[in-house]
Amino acid sequence: MLSLPPRSVAIVLGTRPELVKLTDLVRLLGPAAHLVHTGQHYDENLSGRFLTELGLPEPTFLTGVGGQPRAVQISAALAQLDDLFTAEPPLAVVVQGDTNAALAGALAANARGIPLLHVEAGLRSHDRNMPEEHNRVLIDRIADVLCAATEDNRANLLAEGIDDARIAVTGNTVVEAVHGQLPAAAERAALLQSHGLVADGYVLATVHRPENTDSTAALRAVLTELGALASADRPVLLPLHPRTRGRIEAAGLGGLLAPLTVTAPLGYAEFLGLARHAALLVSDSGGIQEECTVLGRPLVVVRRSTERPEAMADFAELVEPGPGIGAAARRRLAEGPAGLARLATLPSPFGDGRASERIVTLLTAIAAPAELAAAA
């Protein structure tokens, strides 16, 4: 494989899940990678810790993006990216997923005629109430190379009239992220002990999506159902995002946290270590829908729609905020050791853990086509 010049591939991201999913790609690109962090989600305790933990190079940081409304985030990032791409034109731009940062990166590349590669293309919830759905559709329309994680994602793109020649089914980079970051067995045992937990004897939950946190009724329903699941011999661990904690306090729902074991946000490796031994996961996260299939753990997805139906076949179940959470959770918990053993035998629908390798090959083809032709 040809080596690309230093800082020739701009990888534009702005959230912690993007950092996680692009880690192996950045490592494989080596000096060719130029990490650009829009600051969509940035604070030293969360994103700063993730950068250190994942061993990623220091990014170029944009300013004035975090905490702004969606349109301001996109426009502020776009203006700064245009200046950056003018001063230091990359040979290719990579964006991942469906964030405001990804859309800004895609638009900036398109405006400057720079080849654009979209990691995790073709996800569709068909829910127009999700800002992410609009972002991912727009990015897919203008990307030059669309890296679909699954054949279902590829089918979504073909149904929208996107040329098959632009699409490559690569698998999802989350598979290698989980394999690379999951602590070893001895570390996981120590981790459980430090939290006072027993393997297969607790529930691990997260809640952060605006559809669940910005609605007091939805937030109350989620916390009430989680609290009802908790017992002396089966605690419910809830790492609490600062934004979610703020919403709970503003809504006067702090009392609903009493039955739960609340912790500060976890690092990625620590979260994976705890998720690996949870009897059940309950979350509104998109990434956890993928991670649970690699870890072989059951998941109750607390959302109104999902763009990852592949996980729903065996590993996960989609429910709206309300009594359905408890019903689905108890049904899964009742499957006990036999249910966990069954999931442990199933392959992840998101690929074989070589997605990043395939994406680097595709990147080289669009970033250095003349060199490739000469080498041939």
Side-chain angles (χ1 to χ4, degrees):
M1 187 183 297
L2 290 173
S3 60
L4 295 166
R7 291 170 65 89
S8 61
V9 177
I11 300 174
V12 181
L13 47 76
T15 67
R16 290 172 293 284
E18 290 165 296
L19 285 171
V20 166
K21 288 187 170 183
L22 292 171
T23 291
D24 277 67
L25 180 63
V26 172
R27 286 180 182 155
L28 288 171
L29 285 171
H34 176 196
L35 214 54
V36 183
H37 197 308
T38 69
Q40 180 178 329
H41 288 170
Y42 188 81
D43 61 68
E44 198 53 47
N45 286 333
L46 293 174
S47 283
R49 185 160 129 215
F50 268 59
L51 281 164
T52 304
E53 184 180 316
L54 296 169
L56 292 170
E58 184 69 13
T60 296
F61 285 105
L62 308 187
T63 59
V65 176
Q68 300 296 327
R70 178 175 176 236
V72 178
Q73 285 195 3
I74 295 167
S75 60
L78 182 54
Q80 293 174 74
L81 287 167
D82 191 60
D83 288 343
L84 183 63
F85 292 170
T86 302
E88 190 178 352
L91 296 176
V93 171
V94 176
V95 297
Q96 192 273 331
D98 50 26
T99 64
N100 296 338
L103 179 56
L107 291 170
N110 180 260
R112 290 284 164 190
I114 302 165
L116 172 66
L117 182 144
H118 186 200
V119 177
E120 208 172 79
L123 273 69
R124 297 293 183 267
S125 67
H126 307 291
D127 180 355
R128 288 177 57 83
N129 291 316
M130 293 178 69
E132 297 92 341
E133 182 78 352
H134 297 276
N135 288 355
R136 61 177 78 104
V137 169
L138 290 167
I139 296 167
D140 284 337
R141 297 311 301 182
I142 60 176
D144 298 286
V145 177
L146 296 97
C147 297
T150 69
E151 287 292 346
D152 286 352
N153 297 155
R154 176 175 172 271
N156 288 338
L157 295 168
L158 293 174
E160 293 174 8
I162 290 174
D163 185 355
D164 193 25
R166 289 164 54 198
I167 306 167
V169 177
T170 58
N172 196 306
T173 58
V174 75
V175 179
E176 50 259 46
V178 172
H179 288 314
Q181 295 297 318
L182 180 67
E187 293 175 67
R188 300 199 303 270
L191 182 61
L192 292 186
Q193 189 173 23
S194 71
H195 284 277
L197 300 171
V198 175
D200 304 342
Y202 59 94
V203 174
L204 179 61
T206 71
V207 54
H208 74 277
R209 292 184 67 82
E211 68 186 67
N212 289 327
T213 58
D214 291 359
S215 160
T216 299
L219 191 54
R220 180 185 290 110
V222 173
L223 295 175
T224 299
E225 291 297 315
L226 289 177
L229 283 175
S231 64
D233 59 350
R234 192 185 60 221
V236 175
L237 193 67
L238 179 66
L240 206 51
H241 190 281
R243 186 178 179 279
T244 304
R245 187 183 285 277
R247 294 291 180 179
I248 290 169
E249 291 169 359
L253 300 176
L256 295 176
L257 295 176
L260 305 172
T261 304
V262 177
T263 76
L266 303 173
Y268 187 59
E270 187 178 6
F271 177 81
L272 289 178
L274 292 174
R276 171 64 182 81
H277 298 290
L280 177 71
L281 304 167
V282 181
S283 179
D284 55 12
S285 161
I288 294 175
Q289 293 175 57
E290 298 160 343
E291 290 154 359
C292 76
T293 71
V294 185
L295 297 169
R297 295 281 128 169
L299 167 67
V300 174
V301 182
V302 186
R303 285 169 53 166
R304 292 163 184 80
S305 61
T306 180
E307 62 285 352
R308 295 170 173 87
E310 297 91 343
M312 301 302 134
D314 293 290
F315 295 91
E317 191 168 334
L318 184 69
V319 298
E320 295 191 9
I325 298 172
R330 289 181 179 86
R331 190 162 54 245
R332 284 290 189 156
L333 288 167
E335 294 178 6
L340 295 176
R342 182 181 72 86
L343 292 184
T345 66
L346 300 176
S348 169
F350 296 107
D352 59 3
R354 296 184 58 201
S356 296
E357 294 175 30
R358 297 184 182 101
I359 293 167
V360 168
T361 301
L362 293 164
L363 260 176
T364 304
I366 61 170
E371 289 87 340
L372 278 175

